[in-house]
Amino acid sequence: MRIDRKLKWALVLSGGGARGIAHIGVLKALSEIGFPEPSLVVGTSMGAIVGGLYACGMAAAELHRFVRDEFDITNYLDSFVFKLAGPLGRVFQAGQFLGSLATGSGIDSGARVLTLIEKLSGAKSFNETRIPFRCNAVDLSNGREVVLRSGSVARAIRASMSFPIFFEPLREGNMYLVDGGLADNLPVHIARAEGFKRILAVDVGNFRIIPGSDFNTGYKILYRSLEVVLHQLNQLKRSDKPELLLHVSGKATPFAFFKKDELVAMGERVVRENEDTIRVFFSRSFGARAAHWRHIECGISPGYEPEKFKGEVFREQTP
């Protein structure tokens, strides 16, 4: 099937905590197969981090190398309690969690993360990126979604990833910006508003049943509570669907930053296993085929295990 090398298409990357590392695997596999680069990258939260750095010029292979060889999340957090394990760690975590609620606007200031993103992005502004980039955040003052498209890319990413309580909001003028996933964790509408008719979205924010034994810290309980609320809201309101949606879902939690290799492999696998369907998206004949589909969904099952993965492809036809 012939690939349209001049195709203008948009890539949308969801939030999902540590699961967003899988976006690197998706980008890596798309590049290695030889699909054309996107004309626009949109991201939220962790998708904003990966997508923003990619748009600024970090190749997928470079992102993979950094995450594999250099990235340790605890090195970029202010709070020492995130580095403590076991019962003692949970005691300190609970104490700092309550202290943060009483005296501050977040457990972590986000200052170290911002410094890292500024370094990796080359301190670029939006008009200096290699590929046009957009991300979203939410203004706590009025509760509205904000689409970030000007100024510092690093500060925009820092705003988009500011999950409440964990990170302090980012102040920009009169706005207090927090995680864009609170408004839309897969902001396809941003790419649509930019005029794109062909959109590939990657969703790593899968909602699944998890055992009660996972709720062993206050911040995990808070995150899960917000995850439940956001899942219900997104189920109700999501109407703007991409032409191609890749689901990368597995057993990794939003806190599983130590599963870097597995998460990258998951992203690569979903592309490799669904390469034929993805080729349709990039082909000149896609327009004719799309007339019979509202959208195409590809993914791996929630019970994913590397040695057992077989892959699934879902096609939803119009009535």
Side-chain angles (χ1 to χ4, degrees):
M1 185 172 295
R2 189 172 182 180
I3 301 301
D4 185 355
R5 298 293 170 187
K6 297 181 179 180
L7 177 69
K8 291 188 178 298
W9 65 283
L11 175 66
V12 179
L13 304 178
S14 80
R19 293 192 297 251
I21 293 174
H23 290 314
I24 296 173
V26 170
L27 290 170
K28 191 165 177 279
L30 290 174
S31 175
E32 290 174 352
I33 292 171
F35 291 125
E37 286 189 337
S39 306
L40 173 72
V41 178
V42 177
T44 190
S45 200
M46 192 65 178
I49 297 175
V50 174
L53 294 178
Y54 177 72
C56 282
M58 285 189 76
E62 187 180 359
L63 281 165
H64 185 200
R65 184 207 59 76
F66 172 77
V67 167
R68 182 190 63 217
D69 300 338
E70 299 182 33
F71 181 72
D72 181 344
I73 185 64
T74 60
N75 291 336
Y76 305 106
L77 298 174
D78 296 337
S79 176
F80 75 96
V81 298
F82 286 118
K83 304 179 182 182
L84 300 178
L88 182 61
R90 286 193 287 274
V91 170
F92 279 106
Q93 287 164 358
Q96 183 161 351
F97 177 77
L98 293 174
S100 297
L101 288 177
T103 63
S105 55
I107 296 175
D108 196 274
S109 72
R112 291 186 183 183
V113 173
L114 178 57
T115 298
L116 174 66
I117 297 172
E118 285 179 334
K119 176 184 175 182
L120 295 177
S121 67
K124 286 184 171 66
S125 61
F126 276 83
N127 60 9
E128 296 174 318
T129 59
R130 187 173 62 85
I131 301 171
F133 171 66
R134 306 285 184 266
C135 63
N136 67 341
V138 172
D139 181 4
L140 285 180
S141 297
N142 57 28
R144 295 176 182 171
E145 181 182 22
V146 178
V147 178
L148 302 167
R149 51 168 59 91
S150 63
S152 164
V153 170
R155 287 184 65 81
I157 292 172
R158 164 68 179 82
S160 186
M161 56 156 279
S162 299
F163 201 80
I165 302 299
F166 295 90
F167 289 104
E168 294 180 2
L170 183 79
R171 184 172 181 178
E172 287 288 348
N174 295 323
M175 297 188 297
Y176 288 81
L177 301 176
V178 294
D179 198 299
L182 299 179
D184 193 338
N185 200 45
L186 192 68
V188 172
H189 74 91
I190 296 176
R192 198 72 74 191
E194 296 275 347
F196 284 85
K197 297 181 179 180
R198 203 172 302 196
I199 300 171
L200 187 162
V202 184
D203 189 0
V204 300
N206 63 299
F207 185 85
R208 63 186 182 87
I209 298 173
I210 57 178
S213 58
D214 284 6
F215 308 136
N216 54 5
T217 61
Y219 60 82
K220 286 185 178 180
I221 292 173
L222 175 63
Y223 187 96
R224 179 59 173 181
S225 299
L226 289 171
E227 195 175 41
V228 170
V229 172
L230 294 176
H231 172 69
Q232 297 297 329
L233 290 175
N234 283 322
Q235 290 291 101
L236 291 173
K237 76 175 187 178
R238 181 161 294 161
S239 58
D240 199 349
K241 296 181 178 180
E243 283 64 42
L244 175 59
L245 175 61
L246 300 181
H247 287 286
V248 186
S249 56
K251 295 180 178 179
T253 72
F255 304 97
F257 287 96
F258 60 92
K259 294 187 176 182
K260 297 179 286 188
D261 290 337
E262 178 182 333
L263 289 163
V264 171
M266 286 168 56
E268 290 185 84
R269 188 64 63 90
V270 76
V271 172
R272 301 286 183 184
E273 292 290 337
N274 297 288
E275 182 177 340
D276 289 345
T277 304
I278 297 172
R279 283 186 179 276
V280 174
F281 174 84
F282 285 106
S283 72
R284 293 181 178 179
S285 63
F286 179 81
R289 295 185 179 223
H292 301 289
W293 299 336
R294 280 203 299 271
H295 65 287
I296 311 169
E297 295 188 19
C298 305
I300 56 180
S301 64
Y304 165 77
E305 294 180 13
E307 68 276 9
K308 296 180 180 180
F309 174 79
K310 299 298 181 184
E312 298 178 50
V313 178
F314 306 94
R315 293 184 176 87
E316 186 174 338
Q317 297 187 355
T318 54

